[in-house]
Amino acid sequence: MRRTLLRLSALLLLLACVPAWAAPPVPLLWKVSDHDSALYLLGSFHMLARDDYPLAPEVEEAFAGAGTLVFELDPEEAASPALAMRMVQAARRTRPGSLREDLGPELWARLERQVAAGALPAGWSEQFEPWFIALTLQLAGLARQGLDPGLGLDRHFMRAAAAAGKPASGLEPASAQIALMAGMDLDEQRQMLAEVLDLLESGPARLDRLHGMWRAGDAQGLWEGIAVRMQRDYPALYARINVARNDAWLPVLERHLAGRDDVLVVVGSLHLLGPDGLVEKLRARGYRVERICRACAR
């Protein structure tokens, strides 16, 4: 009897040591159907950790049943070293005056605090436009949280599609994505940098919370934690990087729905959420839409 109790105690201790995220992430996955095919919309977190795998069975089933995959960018373009070079070229400052003058005293001081803390090399940011500085700071902040772009959900499925011999394509060319950023006016760029600085200045807890909400499949929490705030504080930025792109992607998604094969679409989670998201836009066009989430039904 004593030996049994000892074994039970050891088992309970072992279970207590298993992290709360040992279960697969709850997927942000929706099925959009017409009369003969389905489009699976999967919300990605572009940088993840090894502990975010394996994925939920319903996600793997959607991949297995899909005849083709669709991402924000074509996988070949996304993996090309030339893409990073093109982005750096587009981001180099050409306007007269200094970055300090462009940002103004308050935003400049906030950026300088990040440089002093080691987030960027001293003097590096003065070569580039604010949008590129914002992207670099955001990636660096997520990397400090142990998240890796190579483990992001989109990269994971790009590799899986290649291994399975499934065709894959993009919703927009890389040139359009670069033009979207480089075409921002200075006010929009300042908004983008301010939004990223807000995120970093709130400390690791907010980044952890956003990652945790993605793992929990908390669509409402992510909508309120990212989109609602951006809509309120940075409306021009929100319209450019979310609403305009969703509207441009809709005809592409409808062309895929017109075919007979099921399709798995993997895009940033924000693009699926709220009244401006692809889920509601497709529902408004008369398609059958349901969330696929076994853990949500428990």
PDB file of all heavy atoms in Angstrom, residues 171-190:
ATOM      1  N   LEU A 171      -0.955  35.230 -51.609  1.00  0.00           N
ATOM      2  CA  LEU A 171      -2.076  36.140 -51.834  1.00  0.00           C
ATOM      3  C   LEU A 171      -1.631  37.464 -52.430  1.00  0.00           C
ATOM      4  O   LEU A 171      -2.448  38.202 -52.993  1.00  0.00           O
ATOM      5  CB  LEU A 171      -2.808  36.398 -50.508  1.00  0.00           C
ATOM      6  CG  LEU A 171      -3.635  35.232 -49.977  1.00  0.00           C
ATOM      7  CD1 LEU A 171      -3.995  35.451 -48.514  1.00  0.00           C
ATOM      8  CD2 LEU A 171      -4.894  35.040 -50.810  1.00  0.00           C
ATOM      9  N   GLU A 172      -0.352  37.778 -52.282  1.00  0.00           N
ATOM     10  CA  GLU A 172       0.176  39.019 -52.837  1.00  0.00           C
ATOM     11  C   GLU A 172       1.647  38.806 -53.161  1.00  0.00           C
ATOM     12  O   GLU A 172       2.318  38.009 -52.499  1.00  0.00           O
ATOM     13  CB  GLU A 172       0.011  40.174 -51.841  1.00  0.00           C
ATOM     14  CG  GLU A 172       0.753  39.975 -50.533  1.00  0.00           C
ATOM     15  CD  GLU A 172       0.375  40.987 -49.451  1.00  0.00           C
ATOM     16  OE1 GLU A 172      -0.576  41.756 -49.657  1.00  0.00           O
ATOM     17  OE2 GLU A 172       1.048  40.989 -48.411  1.00  0.00           O
ATOM     18  N   PRO A 173       2.166  39.490 -54.171  1.00  0.00           N
ATOM     19  CA  PRO A 173       3.595  39.382 -54.453  1.00  0.00           C
ATOM     20  C   PRO A 173       4.400  40.145 -53.406  1.00  0.00           C
ATOM     21  O   PRO A 173       3.891  41.071 -52.760  1.00  0.00           O
ATOM     22  CB  PRO A 173       3.725  40.027 -55.836  1.00  0.00           C
ATOM     23  CG  PRO A 173       2.586  40.972 -55.934  1.00  0.00           C
ATOM     24  CD  PRO A 173       1.462  40.356 -55.141  1.00  0.00           C
ATOM     25  N   ALA A 174       5.649  39.759 -53.250  1.00  0.00           N
ATOM     26  CA  ALA A 174       6.516  40.441 -52.292  1.00  0.00           C
ATOM     27  C   ALA A 174       6.639  41.927 -52.627  1.00  0.00           C
ATOM     28  O   ALA A 174       6.718  42.773 -51.729  1.00  0.00           O
ATOM     29  CB  ALA A 174       7.891  39.789 -52.265  1.00  0.00           C
ATOM     30  N   SER A 175       6.622  42.246 -53.928  1.00  0.00           N
ATOM     31  CA  SER A 175       6.728  43.653 -54.324  1.00  0.00           C
ATOM     32  C   SER A 175       5.570  44.475 -53.764  1.00  0.00           C
ATOM     33  O   SER A 175       5.745  45.631 -53.372  1.00  0.00           O
ATOM     34  CB  SER A 175       6.768  43.768 -55.854  1.00  0.00           C
ATOM     35  OG  SER A 175       5.611  43.168 -56.432  1.00  0.00           O
ATOM     36  N   ALA A 176       4.377  43.866 -53.692  1.00  0.00           N
ATOM     37  CA  ALA A 176       3.220  44.577 -53.138  1.00  0.00           C
ATOM     38  C   ALA A 176       3.388  44.783 -51.643  1.00  0.00           C
ATOM     39  O   ALA A 176       3.019  45.836 -51.098  1.00  0.00           O
ATOM     40  CB  ALA A 176       1.938  43.805 -53.434  1.00  0.00           C
ATOM     41  N   GLN A 177       3.949  43.789 -50.960  1.00  0.00           N
ATOM     42  CA  GLN A 177       4.147  43.918 -49.512  1.00  0.00           C
ATOM     43  C   GLN A 177       5.189  44.995 -49.209  1.00  0.00           C
ATOM     44  O   GLN A 177       5.010  45.796 -48.285  1.00  0.00           O
ATOM     45  CB  GLN A 177       4.572  42.572 -48.919  1.00  0.00           C
ATOM     46  CG  GLN A 177       4.335  42.467 -47.430  1.00  0.00           C
ATOM     47  CD  GLN A 177       4.510  41.047 -46.928  1.00  0.00           C
ATOM     48  OE1 GLN A 177       5.600  40.666 -46.520  1.00  0.00           O
ATOM     49  NE2 GLN A 177       3.445  40.263 -46.946  1.00  0.00           N
ATOM     50  N   ILE A 178       6.262  45.023 -49.994  1.00  0.00           N
ATOM     51  CA  ILE A 178       7.279  46.061 -49.806  1.00  0.00           C
ATOM     52  C   ILE A 178       6.706  47.432 -50.117  1.00  0.00           C
ATOM     53  O   ILE A 178       6.916  48.398 -49.379  1.00  0.00           O
ATOM     54  CB  ILE A 178       8.521  45.761 -50.669  1.00  0.00           C
ATOM     55  CG1 ILE A 178       9.205  44.483 -50.183  1.00  0.00           C
ATOM     56  CG2 ILE A 178       9.500  46.932 -50.643  1.00  0.00           C
ATOM     57  CD1 ILE A 178      10.309  43.982 -51.094  1.00  0.00           C
ATOM     58  N   ALA A 179       5.949  47.523 -51.227  1.00  0.00           N
ATOM     59  CA  ALA A 179       5.349  48.803 -51.610  1.00  0.00           C
ATOM     60  C   ALA A 179       4.369  49.297 -50.551  1.00  0.00           C
ATOM     61  O   ALA A 179       4.246  50.507 -50.317  1.00  0.00           O
ATOM     62  CB  ALA A 179       4.646  48.671 -52.957  1.00  0.00           C
ATOM     63  N   LEU A 180       3.668  48.355 -49.902  1.00  0.00           N
ATOM     64  CA  LEU A 180       2.727  48.718 -48.833  1.00  0.00           C
ATOM     65  C   LEU A 180       3.455  49.461 -47.720  1.00  0.00           C
ATOM     66  O   LEU A 180       2.981  50.489 -47.225  1.00  0.00           O
ATOM     67  CB  LEU A 180       2.084  47.451 -48.280  1.00  0.00           C
ATOM     68  CG  LEU A 180       1.191  47.619 -47.055  1.00  0.00           C
ATOM     69  CD1 LEU A 180      -0.207  48.023 -47.484  1.00  0.00           C
ATOM     70  CD2 LEU A 180       1.130  46.343 -46.235  1.00  0.00           C
ATOM     71  N   MET A 181       4.621  48.943 -47.332  1.00  0.00           N
ATOM     72  CA  MET A 181       5.392  49.565 -46.254  1.00  0.00           C
ATOM     73  C   MET A 181       6.065  50.850 -46.739  1.00  0.00           C
ATOM     74  O   MET A 181       5.960  51.904 -46.108  1.00  0.00           O
ATOM     75  CB  MET A 181       6.440  48.586 -45.738  1.00  0.00           C
ATOM     76  CG  MET A 181       5.876  47.323 -45.146  1.00  0.00           C
ATOM     77  SD  MET A 181       4.915  47.645 -43.647  1.00  0.00           S
ATOM     78  CE  MET A 181       4.403  45.977 -43.231  1.00  0.00           C
ATOM     79  N   ALA A 182       6.772  50.734 -47.863  1.00  0.00           N
ATOM     80  CA  ALA A 182       7.535  51.883 -48.358  1.00  0.00           C
ATOM     81  C   ALA A 182       6.629  53.027 -48.804  1.00  0.00           C
ATOM     82  O   ALA A 182       7.063  54.183 -48.851  1.00  0.00           O
ATOM     83  CB  ALA A 182       8.435  51.447 -49.510  1.00  0.00           C
ATOM     84  N   GLY A 183       5.365  52.706 -49.111  1.00  0.00           N
ATOM     85  CA  GLY A 183       4.433  53.729 -49.558  1.00  0.00           C
ATOM     86  C   GLY A 183       3.728  54.470 -48.437  1.00  0.00           C
ATOM     87  O   GLY A 183       2.918  55.368 -48.701  1.00  0.00           O
ATOM     88  N   MET A 184       4.018  54.122 -47.211  1.00  0.00           N
ATOM     89  CA  MET A 184       3.397  54.825 -46.085  1.00  0.00           C
ATOM     90  C   MET A 184       3.866  56.276 -46.045  1.00  0.00           C
ATOM     91  O   MET A 184       5.050  56.562 -46.259  1.00  0.00           O
ATOM     92  CB  MET A 184       3.793  54.172 -44.760  1.00  0.00           C
ATOM     93  CG  MET A 184       3.168  52.836 -44.489  1.00  0.00           C
ATOM     94  SD  MET A 184       3.681  52.255 -42.842  1.00  0.00           S
ATOM     95  CE  MET A 184       2.798  50.708 -42.750  1.00  0.00           C
ATOM     96  N   ASP A 185       2.941  57.179 -45.747  1.00  0.00           N
ATOM     97  CA  ASP A 185       3.399  58.551 -45.511  1.00  0.00           C
ATOM     98  C   ASP A 185       4.035  58.627 -44.123  1.00  0.00           C
ATOM     99  O   ASP A 185       3.985  57.666 -43.339  1.00  0.00           O
ATOM    100  CB  ASP A 185       2.262  59.565 -45.692  1.00  0.00           C
ATOM    101  CG  ASP A 185       1.116  59.404 -44.690  1.00  0.00           C
ATOM    102  OD1 ASP A 185       1.370  59.006 -43.540  1.00  0.00           O
ATOM    103  OD2 ASP A 185      -0.044  59.692 -45.063  1.00  0.00           O
ATOM    104  N   LEU A 186       4.638  59.745 -43.824  1.00  0.00           N
ATOM    105  CA  LEU A 186       5.423  59.851 -42.592  1.00  0.00           C
ATOM    106  C   LEU A 186       4.550  59.699 -41.353  1.00  0.00           C
ATOM    107  O   LEU A 186       4.969  59.093 -40.358  1.00  0.00           O
ATOM    108  CB  LEU A 186       6.177  61.182 -42.570  1.00  0.00           C
ATOM    109  CG  LEU A 186       7.253  61.344 -41.501  1.00  0.00           C
ATOM    110  CD1 LEU A 186       8.242  60.179 -41.519  1.00  0.00           C
ATOM    111  CD2 LEU A 186       7.981  62.669 -41.678  1.00  0.00           C
ATOM    112  N   ASP A 187       3.331  60.210 -41.399  1.00  0.00           N
ATOM    113  CA  ASP A 187       2.437  60.054 -40.242  1.00  0.00           C
ATOM    114  C   ASP A 187       2.150  58.586 -39.965  1.00  0.00           C
ATOM    115  O   ASP A 187       2.158  58.139 -38.815  1.00  0.00           O
ATOM    116  CB  ASP A 187       1.120  60.792 -40.477  1.00  0.00           C
ATOM    117  CG  ASP A 187       1.243  62.285 -40.225  1.00  0.00           C
ATOM    118  OD1 ASP A 187       2.218  62.693 -39.567  1.00  0.00           O
ATOM    119  OD2 ASP A 187       0.373  63.039 -40.696  1.00  0.00           O
ATOM    120  N   GLU A 188       1.880  57.803 -41.026  1.00  0.00           N
ATOM    121  CA  GLU A 188       1.616  56.369 -40.854  1.00  0.00           C
ATOM    122  C   GLU A 188       2.848  55.648 -40.319  1.00  0.00           C
ATOM    123  O   GLU A 188       2.741  54.760 -39.466  1.00  0.00           O
ATOM    124  CB  GLU A 188       1.182  55.761 -42.182  1.00  0.00           C
ATOM    125  CG  GLU A 188      -0.199  56.198 -42.640  1.00  0.00           C
ATOM    126  CD  GLU A 188      -0.504  55.739 -44.063  1.00  0.00           C
ATOM    127  OE1 GLU A 188       0.416  55.663 -44.886  1.00  0.00           O
ATOM    128  OE2 GLU A 188      -1.688  55.447 -44.332  1.00  0.00           O
ATOM    129  N   GLN A 189       4.012  56.025 -40.808  1.00  0.00           N
ATOM    130  CA  GLN A 189       5.241  55.397 -40.323  1.00  0.00           C
ATOM    131  C   GLN A 189       5.478  55.711 -38.842  1.00  0.00           C
ATOM    132  O   GLN A 189       5.898  54.845 -38.074  1.00  0.00           O
ATOM    133  CB  GLN A 189       6.437  55.872 -41.147  1.00  0.00           C
ATOM    134  CG  GLN A 189       6.423  55.373 -42.573  1.00  0.00           C
ATOM    135  CD  GLN A 189       7.746  55.626 -43.262  1.00  0.00           C
ATOM    136  OE1 GLN A 189       8.793  55.206 -42.772  1.00  0.00           O
ATOM    137  NE2 GLN A 189       7.706  56.309 -44.392  1.00  0.00           N
ATOM    138  N   ARG A 190       5.207  56.933 -38.471  1.00  0.00           N
ATOM    139  CA  ARG A 190       5.340  57.292 -37.042  1.00  0.00           C
ATOM    140  C   ARG A 190       4.348  56.486 -36.206  1.00  0.00           C
ATOM    141  O   ARG A 190       4.676  56.046 -35.100  1.00  0.00           O
ATOM    142  CB  ARG A 190       5.125  58.797 -36.859  1.00  0.00           C
ATOM    143  CG  ARG A 190       6.323  59.640 -37.225  1.00  0.00           C
ATOM    144  CD  ARG A 190       6.173  61.080 -36.759  1.00  0.00           C
ATOM    145  NE  ARG A 190       5.222  61.796 -37.557  1.00  0.00           N
ATOM    146  CZ  ARG A 190       5.523  62.804 -38.405  1.00  0.00           C
ATOM    147  NH1 ARG A 190       6.782  63.180 -38.544  1.00  0.00           N
ATOM    148  NH2 ARG A 190       4.595  63.407 -39.093  1.00  0.00           N
TER     149      ARG A 190
END
